[in-house]
């Protein structure tokens, strides 16, 4: 079961980052580097992008994740998939995991894609609000996770709140 979970997470993160890389390629960049680490990954490479292009590149990862979730959800309803325990478990894990990752990743919290989309959108308006929103939302979710006994969620969102707080401090932003 652990092998199914780990392989599902690896495939999902790689697929998500490939979505970003494909969008970067669409906007003229010859290559992208994908870095995977303990709790996720990121896609980087050369190039300058317009605000709209930056938003689309950031949205491409969650869009790929949503497509993967939808594909595995449809596959889970294919006759015969439910007859094999391992196949059923893998397919179910993939669609639930990717639906969850898409929702979490679209929250307007830096450095997640929702935060990057929000940051690109606010670039010419009020960029100082981005880490403020990220901090408040991540802290609120961390407290909710703590109250419901979700220790990993508490850690992850607490870390995100701290990271947004650090961004505020680095930029001299006050509440």
């Amino acid at each position: 079961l652990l092998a199914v979970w780990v392989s599902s997470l690896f495939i999902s993160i790689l697929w998500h980052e490939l979505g970003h890389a494909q969008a970067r390629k669409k906007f003229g960049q010859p290559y992208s580097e994908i870095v995977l680490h303990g709790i996720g990954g990121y896609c980087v490479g050369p190039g300058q992008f317009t605000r709209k292009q930056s938003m689309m590149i950031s949205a491409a990862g969650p869009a790929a994740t949503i497509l993967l979730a939808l594909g595995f959800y449809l596959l889970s309803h294919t006759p015969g998939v439910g007859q094999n325990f391992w196949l059923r478990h893998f397919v179910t894990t993939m669609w639930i995991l990717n639906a969850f990752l898409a929702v979490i990743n679209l929250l307007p919290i830096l450095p997640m894609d929702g935060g990057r989309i929000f940051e690109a959108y606010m670039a010419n308006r009020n960029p100082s609000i981005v880490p403020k929103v990220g901090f408040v939302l991540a802290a609120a979710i961390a407290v909710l996770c703590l109250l419901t006994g979700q220790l990993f969620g508490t850690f992850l969102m607490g870390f995100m709140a701290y990271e947004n707080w650090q961004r505020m401090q680095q930029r001299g932003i006050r509440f």
Side-chain angles (χ1 to χ4, degrees), residues 72-85:
F72 274 96
Y73 176 78
L74 294 174
L75 186 60
S76 74
H77 289 81
T78 302
V81 170
Q83 295 174 353
N84 180 298
F85 171 80

Side-chain angles (χ1 to χ4, degrees), residues 1-156:
L1 293 177
L2 181 61
V4 169
W5 170 252
V6 170
S7 62
S8 296
L9 190 58
F10 175 78
I11 291 165
S12 300
I13 293 169
L14 183 58
W15 181 265
H16 175 96
E17 298 307 330
L18 285 169
H20 292 304
Q22 186 63 32
R24 288 175 47 79
K25 185 176 181 179
K26 180 183 185 299
F27 292 119
Q29 296 311 308
Y31 72 92
S32 296
E33 295 178 22
I34 294 174
V35 178
L36 303 178
H37 53 75
I39 58 171
Y42 56 91
C43 177
V44 295
Q48 297 291 321
F49 301 100
T50 67
R51 189 171 64 124
K52 184 178 177 182
Q53 288 172 334
S54 293
M55 291 171 67
M56 292 176 71
I57 290 167
S58 293
T65 300
I66 291 167
L67 288 175
L68 192 61
L70 180 59
F72 274 96
Y73 176 78
L74 294 174
L75 186 60
S76 74
H77 289 81
T78 302
V81 170
Q83 295 174 353
N84 180 298
F85 171 80
W86 293 108
L87 179 60
R88 181 180 70 238
H89 184 65
F90 175 72
V91 168
T92 302
T93 299
M94 285 295 288
W95 83 257
I96 291 172
L97 173 64
N98 281 281
F100 175 77
L101 290 175
V103 170
I104 294 298
N105 202 21
L106 283 170
L107 294 173
I109 301 170
L110 290 169
M112 295 188 294
D113 292 323
R116 299 270 182 222
I117 294 166
F118 187 39
E119 185 175 52
Y121 178 77
M122 296 302 289
N124 296 334
R125 293 171 175 84
N126 184 4
S128 67
I129 198 164
V130 177
K132 289 179 187 178
V133 169
F135 171 74
V136 170
L137 186 56
I141 295 171
V143 169
L144 180 63
C145 287
L146 181 63
L147 294 174
T148 58
Q150 303 296 320
L151 294 181
F152 181 74
T154 303
F155 168 76
L156 181 65

